[in-house]
Amino acid sequence: MMHFLDTRGLGEVAYDPAEDLRNCENISHVLLVVVRMDDQVQGEVADALRRITKTNPSMPIMLVWTGSDLIPEHEQGAVREHLRRALQMRECQETVLSLGPNIKADALVPIHDFLADALPEVAFLLQRNGETSDEAKRFAVVRPRVLQWAAGAAASDMFPATAIVTVPGAQLTMLVNLARLYGCKGNIKEIFQFLALLGGGMSLRYGLSFAAKQAGKLVPVYGQTAGTAVAAASSFAATYALARVACRYFYDLSQGRKTRKEEMSALYRQAFRGAQEARDA
């Protein structure tokens, strides 16, 4: 879903980061600044930050503190404040990450949340297809919300034990909210009518694919990397496509028109492919 560039250590002997920073200035959208609490010399990092924020002052930044185990707990607040001043950091999100072989998944939640918030603006700027119909214009208005819901579904798919519940739950909540945004009731009857028109075959295919990807995440090593990435990307694309079809359905419902099943199936496939292509772009 995203491309990560892990720079070499700033300040490393015989390494000039200027070229790497220059190459990334126009293609990077989010900055994770990783700082060891026990390293008081941060001049090179401060120089790089000044350059990056001057070029893109609105870039989302997260400050990730490591090395907390090397500093007494009662001194950590003062150490972080000293380093913030040295780095001349503007206000941004922060988290403390204790590295090591026994790192727990919940320690990464703040970083996951930060990236999930940025996803709609970063990795999934889906191509506009140039449609000028009233329905397409209406979808363009709710599209930022759809991207957020899809990104949330992808983020919640990072953990196999809960994703089989959280992803469908997030999609159901999304459908209710979309119905109401289009002036419909958003009750159970409307939701089930939409799902019935969408077709059991499509729901079954997605359900089997979703279950397979969840199982893939449980495979040692593979599931912790590639399996998780594939499942999250699939959840994003499927959630976006589901929302796109739902918007068409609820728009027609609000106009007193019926949506043909064939149109919904074609629109779902088109939206799903568009989400995948945007992810791979």
Side-chain angles (χ1 to χ4, degrees):
M1 297 187 295
M2 280 186 174
H3 293 286
F4 286 88
L5 172 67
D6 183 10
T7 65
R8 292 175 62 181
L10 298 179
E12 187 175 316
V13 176
Y15 170 57
D16 182 356
E19 183 177 356
D20 284 345
L21 293 175
R22 185 167 54 252
N23 291 335
C24 294
E25 280 177 352
N26 296 323
I27 61 173
S28 299
H29 303 82
V30 176
L31 185 63
L32 297 177
V33 183
V34 184
V35 178
R36 283 176 59 108
M37 289 190 204
D38 63 328
D39 187 354
Q40 299 296 302
V41 181
Q42 297 290 341
E44 291 84 356
V45 178
D47 291 341
L49 278 172
R50 278 193 295 271
R51 173 172 179 168
I52 293 168
T53 54
K54 182 178 180 180
T55 303
N56 191 343
S58 62
M59 178 178 289
I61 298 176
M62 170 170 266
L63 184 56
V64 182
W65 299 104
T66 64
S68 59
D69 55 316
L70 304 175
I71 302 293
E73 187 173 353
H74 68 278
E75 296 180 8
Q76 290 183 15
V79 168
R80 289 200 299 267
E81 182 58 32
H82 168 74
L83 289 172
R84 285 190 205 97
R85 289 196 299 268
L87 293 169
Q88 300 180 20
M89 289 288 298
R90 59 176 165 84
E91 185 176 349
C92 66
Q93 295 187 50
E94 299 183 23
T95 188
V96 177
L97 188 61
S98 298
L99 302 178
N102 297 319
I103 186 171
K104 296 181 179 179
D106 57 0
L108 299 174
V109 168
I111 298 177
H112 287 165
D113 290 345
F114 171 72
L115 295 177
D117 288 341
L119 274 174
E121 299 177 15
V122 178
F124 300 115
L125 299 178
L126 302 177
Q127 304 95 328
R128 289 177 170 79
N129 56 18
E131 291 183 9
T132 57
S133 67
D134 289 340
E135 189 276 331
K137 292 178 180 178
R138 183 73 180 90
F139 175 70
V141 174
V142 302
R143 186 171 174 274
R145 296 283 301 276
V146 168
L147 287 169
Q148 291 174 354
W149 280 316
S156 68
D157 206 3
M158 302 299 288
F159 304 102
T162 59
I164 201 165
V165 175
T166 58
V167 173
Q171 292 172 340
L172 180 59
T173 300
M174 176 189 72
L175 292 177
V176 171
N177 281 277
L178 283 175
R180 293 171 180 171
L181 285 173
Y182 278 82
C184 301
K185 296 178 182 179
N187 55 28
I188 295 297
K189 180 179 179 181
E190 285 184 349
I191 301 302
F192 275 115
Q193 286 176 339
F194 161 70
L195 293 175
L197 186 60
L198 185 61
M202 185 175 298
S203 300
L204 178 60
R205 285 196 299 273
Y206 171 66
L208 292 174
S209 175
F210 179 79
K213 290 178 174 62
Q214 297 307 311
K217 287 193 294 184
L218 297 173
V219 177
V221 182
Y222 170 85
Q224 297 165 14
T225 53
T228 297
V230 169
S234 177
S235 287
F236 176 87
T239 302
Y240 179 85
L242 181 67
R244 182 64 188 96
V245 175
C247 288
R248 171 64 180 274
Y249 175 82
F250 293 126
Y251 174 85
D252 287 347
L253 185 62
S254 68
Q255 301 297 312
R257 295 198 295 262
K258 290 185 178 181
T259 308
R260 291 192 305 164
K261 183 175 181 179
E262 296 78 12
E263 293 175 346
M264 291 180 62
S265 297
L267 185 58
Y268 182 95
R269 290 192 295 270
Q270 179 186 17
F272 191 92
R273 284 196 301 269
Q276 289 186 315
E277 290 168 0
R279 178 202 70 202
D280 296 333

